[in-house]
Amino acid sequence: MPHLDFTQPPFDVLSAGERQSIKKNTQVRYLAKDEVLPADDLQYFYVVLKGQIEQLLNGDFFAAYLGSNHTDHLNSNDWFDSRRLPESLIEESLQKGSIQQGSSSAITPYQFRATEDTLLLQINGSTIDKISAQNHLVRQLLSENLPERLKALQQRRSGQNLDTESYNDQQEVQQIMLQPVIDVALLPVHIVDADNSIFQAARIMTEAGLKHVLVRPSGHLEDKNSSDRTLGILTDTDICRAVSDQQNPATTLCQRYASFNLRTIDFDDEIGDALLTMTRYRIHRLPVIDANGQVVGVLGQSDMLAHIGHHSQLISIQIEQATDLPSLDTAVELIGRYIRAQHQNGIKMGNISRMVQTLNAQVFTKLWQLIVPDEVMANTCVIVMGSEGRGEQIMRTDQDNALIIRDGFTHPELAQFADTFNQQLANLGYPLCNGNIMMTNPIWRQPLKQFEAQISLWFRNTDPKHSIYLSAIFDGEYVCGDESLLTHVRQHLKIAHRQSDAMFVRQFARAALQFGDVSQWWQKFVPLLGGKSSSYDIDLKKAGIFPLVHGIRTLALENDIFDAPSSKGRLKALVQARALNQERADTLLEALEFFMAQRLSVALSTDDKHAHEVDPTTLTALERDLLKECLAVVKSFKGQLSRHYQLEFG
């Protein structure tokens, strides 16, 4: 979902939970010039991102609300509550007796009209009301009572009771949106004449590595007053259309399939204007025109979003606005670029992984919405499992998902929906699971009661795969649909665990010790001391990530912790249960995130998202020292598990 600027009133006084609630109930709204908010939309709270809104009362101007492009301050976005009614008219009507006290149905509301193309953030009014009820600072800032608002302003000026946490990302987004489009890497200009053949255009596109060429209309060169704004465009889609029409590319002219009257943008227009134009007209390319009316390049949507795409809120907007698989694919690619940019900027791995989990969940939700009817969405629950469920999957290694179905609900195409979902995810770059832990597998697509019966069977541990299946479902996290179905599954996990054999947890813990210990690991680095190259790679997953993850998972199972699927959440709960002390938990988490970061570095440097082995010779001295310390933490933790569960550990 798009983010608000939480450094600005009235949102700079929100708690973390309140911010999260706002994010979940916010969406982007576009109004064209002179478009008026319909009556059905006068139930929301709005923030003006870009543009201008005019507030009218019975057709007369009352107030204006401006986006940041109209102010001297980058983060100065006006807001308004469309539900607020004219106080003067309410008082007048009460005095006349035309309405009853507490009733406002007879009062004519304000009208809100865009005086130019405008982008708004639309927030559910009920969400604002709930937050206002529990946060007196927000209540003061949004109060309809003028003295209350003045009191809030006085407190703000005196610096009382304000949360001063800074959100630099939002400020960077505002700055980028105000940059000229010429700052974005533009696609090169290749122009063909309208009477050139489609074959000639296709050859130029192939040689240039582009999916389009610009088309010069007939008589363009002869007209001295003409500008490049009259150019047309021919895309690879147009050529495919010509071929499907059984046209001969060698004789068919570009004029026939090219599009003219293009939308263009000036070189000094803002990136925000380009985003607005592309969003409004659903186009992916904009020719950029210089001061002399000549085209200097073509602004591609993917290049523009890449320029600003390391900001998660803009990726969220892209996902939310996706209407088909190709547009969703663009957003998925931006997630990859976001990961790379965040990692290169030194952002903490845990922060990256949790944001990626959020963005991936939005992708999965959007895809499921594109596939299934509303009745299926309302009667099922999509969950992800494994590292994706824990929020610890950085690269798109594989997909682990399941579908919980409400008891009694059936749909003849459920199996087809599930198969389409998994296949489309694979097309988006989320590989199919080799272990077939996906909803296309009937084991992972069942009604609630059958799911619960299956979980009880797994706790009997009669098959080696059962522990693997339980590990997956322990890590289950909600994506979309009816979340109460997942809540029931978690409750049953607790019941089934309590009814299982007393030795179950002990056997479950064995997996954390199954991979060979990297003991005497320094021997692997000895060749470095002599200046020779080491051929020994360390498997970061087996030597570090898996023992930590599964060991923490086992301790969580033993302590009836089922509501926190992430390793970080489990460690926090284990500290609260006094199963671990805070220092130990912090050390385990730091070690886990170090291994995740190293694995990501290997994947990014080799373009192999499945990479999990690191060559110590490629590390700096500091990295090798940290690797040593983290491997020592793993060894110590495995020893702790061995003693606790009385298991052999060599």
Side-chain angles (χ1 to χ4, degrees):
M1 296 298 292
H3 288 192
L4 293 167
D5 182 359
F6 290 113
T7 66
Q8 297 298 310
F11 306 107
D12 56 346
V13 294
L14 300 180
S15 67
E18 290 166 346
R19 289 171 179 167
Q20 189 62 30
S21 178
I22 286 282
K23 291 177 183 178
K24 288 181 179 179
N25 292 279
T26 300
Q27 61 181 352
V28 173
R29 178 64 188 271
Y30 166 76
L31 287 182
K33 181 181 179 181
D34 294 327
E35 185 177 354
V36 177
L37 278 176
D40 290 343
D41 286 346
L42 299 182
Q43 54 182 314
Y44 296 99
F45 186 96
Y46 292 92
V47 178
V48 185
L49 289 179
K50 187 177 181 66
Q52 181 174 341
I53 294 291
E54 191 176 65
Q55 184 179 13
L56 306 171
L57 180 59
N58 295 322
D60 296 326
F61 175 84
F62 186 83
Y65 302 95
L66 308 177
S68 59
N69 59 315
H70 284 291
T71 68
D72 294 331
H73 302 282
L74 292 178
N75 296 359
S76 181
N77 300 93
D78 288 346
W79 75 81
F80 62 91
D81 191 337
S82 65
R83 302 170 298 169
R84 182 172 293 174
L85 297 173
E87 293 181 15
S88 58
L89 290 185
I90 294 177
E91 293 176 358
E92 181 180 344
S93 298
L94 285 171
Q95 292 173 357
K96 292 180 178 179
S98 57
I99 63 171
Q100 299 296 318
Q101 184 73 38
S103 172
S104 58
S105 58
I107 300 297
T108 302
Y110 290 115
Q111 298 86 46
F112 299 92
R113 181 176 66 88
T115 59
E116 62 187 67
D117 289 356
T118 301
L119 282 178
L120 304 167
L121 284 181
Q122 178 178 287
I123 308 170
N124 287 348
S126 59
T127 301
I128 294 292
D129 291 343
K130 290 177 182 178
I131 292 175
S132 297
Q134 64 193 22
N135 188 322
H136 75 281
L137 295 173
V138 175
R139 189 163 59 250
Q140 280 185 333
L141 286 165
L142 301 182
S143 174
E144 294 186 10
N145 183 279
L146 180 59
E148 280 293 301
R149 295 203 298 275
L150 290 173
K151 182 179 179 181
L153 177 62
Q154 183 180 1
Q155 289 179 338
R156 182 171 299 276
R157 286 175 174 172
S158 63
Q160 297 177 9
N161 301 320
L162 289 184
D163 181 353
T164 58
E165 181 179 354
S166 175
Y167 276 70
N168 293 327
D169 277 354
Q170 180 67 24
Q171 296 171 3
E172 291 176 12
V173 170
Q174 295 286 358
Q175 291 169 348
I176 289 176
M177 295 287 274
L178 294 174
Q179 290 177 357
V181 295
I182 200 70
D183 285 356
V184 181
L186 302 179
L187 297 172
V189 176
H190 289 272
I191 302 177
V192 299
D193 291 324
D195 56 3
N196 285 151
S197 69
I198 286 179
F199 173 79
Q200 292 173 302
R203 185 172 59 187
I204 292 174
M205 291 163 62
T206 301
E207 292 173 352
L210 296 173
K211 295 183 178 180
H212 71 276
V213 289
L214 298 179
V215 180
R216 184 183 295 112
S218 301
H220 178 84
L221 294 178
E222 289 77 12
D223 186 356
K224 297 181 179 180
N225 296 320
S226 68
S227 75
D228 284 349
R229 296 184 191 275
T230 62
L231 293 174
I233 192 169
L234 183 77
T235 69
D236 54 350
T237 302
D238 297 323
I239 294 177
C240 289
R241 187 159 53 92
V243 172
S244 68
D245 290 344
Q246 297 184 336
Q247 300 297 313
N248 184 346
T251 58
T252 302
L253 304 183
C254 293
Q255 174 80 33
R256 180 171 178 180
Y257 284 92
S259 299
F260 293 91
N261 299 318
L262 299 182
R263 299 285 171 184
T264 62
I265 194 163
D266 291 336
F267 73 103
D268 54 355
D269 281 345
E270 297 169 2
I271 291 175
D273 293 324
L275 180 60
L276 194 67
T277 300
M278 289 182 177
T279 302
R280 177 180 180 182
Y281 298 106
R282 299 181 180 275
I283 54 179
H284 304 289
R285 302 174 186 89
L286 281 173
V288 179
I289 307 298
D290 66 11
N292 298 318
Q294 302 300 305
V295 62
V296 293
V298 177
L299 179 63
Q301 185 183 59
S302 59
D303 294 309
M304 180 185 68
L305 292 177
H307 185 74
I308 56 181
H310 64 279
H311 295 283
S312 57
Q313 54 266 56
L314 293 173
I315 304 176
S316 293
I317 294 174
Q318 180 79 0
I319 296 171
E320 185 64 26
Q321 294 179 344
T323 57
D324 51 27
L325 196 62
S327 56
L328 195 56
D329 184 51
T330 300
V332 171
E333 288 304 310
L334 290 177
I335 295 176
R337 297 178 184 180
Y338 168 83
I339 293 170
R340 183 181 293 272
Q342 294 293 88
H343 186 57
Q344 291 174 344
N345 290 334
I347 304 300
K348 192 172 176 62
M349 184 54 51
N351 295 337
I352 300 176
S353 64
R354 285 184 286 277
M355 178 54 68
V356 170
Q357 180 190 37
T358 299
L359 294 173
N360 282 340
Q362 292 177 3
V363 170
F364 302 158
T365 298
K366 175 59 70 170
L367 178 60
W368 191 241
Q369 290 172 340
L370 292 173
I371 293 172
V372 305
D374 291 343
E375 62 173 329
V376 173
M377 177 68 76
N379 288 280
T380 61
C381 178
V382 177
I383 65 172
V384 289
M385 300 171 289
S387 56
E388 186 67 58
R390 296 192 307 274
E392 295 161 13
Q393 178 166 293
I394 306 297
M395 306 303 289
R396 300 192 296 273
T397 52
D398 59 6
Q399 48 173 297
D400 296 324
N401 47 63
L403 186 68
I404 310 169
I405 306 166
R406 189 187 307 281
D407 291 326
F409 175 77
T410 59
H411 192 287
E413 297 181 66
L414 266 183
Q416 181 59 48
F417 292 152
D419 183 65
T420 300
F421 180 75
N422 289 144
Q423 291 299 329
Q424 296 285 39
L425 278 182
N427 293 338
L428 289 172
Y430 301 86
L432 298 174
C433 175
N434 290 331
N436 205 21
I437 301 180
M438 300 177 294
M439 66 170 69
T440 191
N441 182 347
I443 294 177
W444 298 101
R445 186 187 69 252
Q446 297 196 65
L448 177 60
K449 287 184 179 178
Q450 293 182 32
F451 235 119
E452 293 175 344
Q454 186 168 259
I455 288 171
S456 296
L457 173 64
W458 290 343
F459 268 104
R460 297 174 191 168
N461 207 24
T462 57
D463 187 301
K465 292 182 179 179
H466 290 172
S467 289
I468 297 175
Y469 293 161
L470 281 174
S471 295
I473 199 66
F474 286 160
D475 297 344
E477 182 59 287
Y478 171 76
V479 172
C480 63
D482 185 355
E483 190 173 5
S484 68
L485 295 173
L486 176 58
T487 301
H488 284 298
V489 167
R490 287 174 172 166
Q491 291 171 345
H492 185 76
L493 278 168
K494 184 178 294 187
I495 295 171
H497 170 233
R498 291 175 177 174
Q499 295 174 346
S500 66
D501 188 287
M503 298 296 291
F504 175 82
V505 174
R506 182 171 181 266
Q507 297 302 319
F508 190 72
R510 287 186 182 276
L513 312 179
Q514 68 179 338
F515 296 120
D517 179 41
V518 190
S519 59
Q520 299 178 332
W521 60 271
W522 183 253
Q523 293 179 3
K524 294 182 179 290
F525 297 160
V526 167
L528 293 175
L529 302 178
K532 300 177 182 178
S533 176
S534 170
S535 60
Y536 295 96
D537 290 341
I538 292 180
D539 191 315
L540 294 168
K541 184 175 181 179
K542 291 183 178 180
I545 295 174
F546 181 80
L548 291 174
V549 166
H550 192 69
I552 294 168
R553 181 192 288 132
T554 303
L555 291 173
L557 172 63
E558 180 188 359
N559 288 272
D560 276 347
I561 299 169
F562 294 97
D563 295 331
S566 70
S567 297
K568 181 178 181 179
R570 286 168 174 162
L571 287 169
K572 181 179 180 180
L574 288 168
V575 171
Q576 294 173 344
R578 298 187 177 182
L580 292 174
N581 62 47
Q582 188 66 58
E583 182 180 2
R584 182 62 159 169
D586 291 343
T587 301
L588 293 175
L589 183 61
E590 289 294 333
L592 175 60
E593 292 189 352
F594 173 83
F595 289 124
M596 290 168 57
Q598 288 303 123
R599 186 179 181 186
L600 177 59
S601 294
V602 173
L604 292 177
S605 63
T606 61
D607 288 326
D608 180 5
K609 59 188 176 185
H610 298 284
H612 51 79
E613 291 186 341
V614 61
D615 180 356
T617 63
T618 64
L619 303 179
T620 66
L622 177 59
E623 288 173 330
R624 288 195 296 271
D625 186 60
L626 290 172
L627 178 60
K628 176 197 72 172
E629 293 296 329
C630 290
L631 289 172
V633 169
V634 174
K635 183 175 182 179
S636 171
F637 185 50
K638 291 168 75 171
Q640 178 183 350
L641 295 172
S642 176
R643 293 187 297 272
H644 182 69
Y645 295 112
Q646 298 181 350
L647 299 169
E648 292 185 4
F649 169 56

